Amino acid sequence: MDDATYTRSLNLSGATNFRDLGGYAGQDGRRVRWRRIYRSDHLAGLTAEDARAIAVLGLRRAVDFRGAHERATLPYELPGVAYRALSIEPTVVQRAKEMALSGHEMTAAIAAELMRDTYRAFVANNAPEFAALFAHLLESDVPLVFHCTAGKDRTGFAAAMILLTLGVPRDVVMQDYLLTNGLYQRPAQLHGSAPDEVLNVLWRVQEDFLEAALQAVESDHGGVDRYLEQRLGVGAAERERLAQLYLQPHG
């Protein structure tokens, strides 16, 4: 089916950052298959109409990167969708609270450095969770969504690793990552909780955030290929299987 048939953003009411990873040109020019892998913000706010739209997609698997408190605060269950929690605790939120309690003012510059540290920590500390996501993807090509709260940081790094694994060029991977800024609508109750310039750092994405993670992959693990193989369990055989499952055939 022609790529023009599909839309990247699903335009749901209760999840503003739900989107398809399909359509990008990957290994050997083969495009990532549509309607197989989705990334999203949390799914606890889906309306009945949203749930029907998701059912049409044939979605059968959901992987939730939110931490324990996040999941407990905004739980969800989707009929016919197998759910798996892979907890990555939101360290930026915790560090922001600690700063407030100790009387230190959060500035945009401090917030940006906290975000870069968070992305470096994904690489250093959360390989088991991202490896588990890849293990799910390797099982079959049954449609799967992975998400966190805003679908931008934990989810953004995971999406970048998936697309890089499938051979999507790094500049295109970055473009996909930055789409969050045009889609995600942060919760209304956050307005006034911190200065706008701080909220715009914490609840949006910047190129240097993902770059901080990719630089850590390079400097600490010898590059994407070695990081995939040694930390995420995705070697040559696994990459070939992922290509078979998620890239369109030649021709």
Side-chain angles (χ1 to χ4, degrees):
M1 197 174 286
D2 187 76
D3 276 3
T5 309
Y6 298 105
T7 55
R8 186 160 308 290
S9 173
L10 271 291
N11 199 27
L12 304 174
S13 299
T16 58
N17 206 11
F18 191 110
R19 59 190 202 258
D20 196 324
L21 285 186
Y24 294 120
Q27 178 185 318
D28 302 325
R30 297 159 63 194
R31 292 195 174 273
V32 180
R33 293 174 67 197
W34 291 98
R35 300 299 185 256
R36 287 295 178 272
I37 309 175
Y38 302 91
R39 52 173 295 176
S40 185
D41 45 341
H42 77 77
L43 304 175
L46 295 181
T47 65
E49 189 175 346
D50 291 339
R52 284 192 291 272
I54 280 178
V56 169
L57 301 177
L59 191 69
R60 291 292 177 266
R61 302 183 287 173
V63 172
D64 187 351
F65 285 128
R66 293 179 300 167
H69 179 71
E70 294 171 286
R71 295 197 311 272
T73 303
L74 290 168
Y76 72 91
E77 185 176 339
L78 297 174
V81 177
Y83 175 86
R84 175 78 186 275
L86 297 174
S87 296
I88 299 176
E89 295 297 336
T91 53
V92 167
V93 174
Q94 185 58 38
R95 289 177 68 180
K97 287 179 180 175
E98 289 168 1
M99 283 189 65
L101 288 171
S102 64
H104 290 89
E105 183 184 0
M106 175 71 77
T107 65
I110 292 172
E113 187 53 36
L114 281 178
M115 293 302 295
R116 288 188 288 271
D117 283 347
T118 294
Y119 276 71
R120 295 181 190 108
F122 294 155
V123 178
N125 303 331
N126 298 119
E129 291 76 28
F130 295 118
L133 171 62
F134 272 103
H136 284 298
L137 292 172
L138 284 160
E139 286 173 3
S140 75
D141 63 354
V142 170
L144 175 149
V145 62
F146 59 95
H147 71 89
C148 50
T149 291
K152 68 186 191 71
D153 302 316
R154 293 163 285 193
T155 296
F157 177 69
M161 296 314 298
I162 290 167
L163 292 175
L164 289 170
T165 303
L166 293 173
V168 177
R170 188 158 159 164
D171 63 325
V172 177
V173 172
M174 184 62 76
Q175 289 167 25
D176 178 80
Y177 170 74
L178 293 172
L179 287 177
T180 283
N181 290 338
L183 293 171
Y184 179 64
Q185 297 173 24
R186 66 184 183 229
Q189 63 265 33
L190 288 171
H191 296 305
S193 61
D196 272 352
E197 61 266 24
V198 172
L199 291 176
N200 284 337
V201 172
L202 297 177
W203 291 92
R204 290 169 63 82
V205 292
Q206 296 179 188
E207 195 165 329
D208 59 300
F209 299 167
L210 181 56
E211 278 295 340
L214 295 177
Q215 286 168 12
V217 166
E218 292 288 339
S219 61
D220 299 342
H221 301 281
V224 170
D225 291 354
R226 288 187 64 185
Y227 177 70
L228 284 166
E229 182 166 15
Q230 296 178 4
R231 299 302 306 279
L232 303 190
V234 182
E238 290 80 11
R239 291 183 81 155
E240 181 54 36
R241 175 160 170 78
L242 288 168
Q244 290 172 356
L245 291 172
Y246 299 109
L247 293 179
Q248 293 174 357
H250 289 288

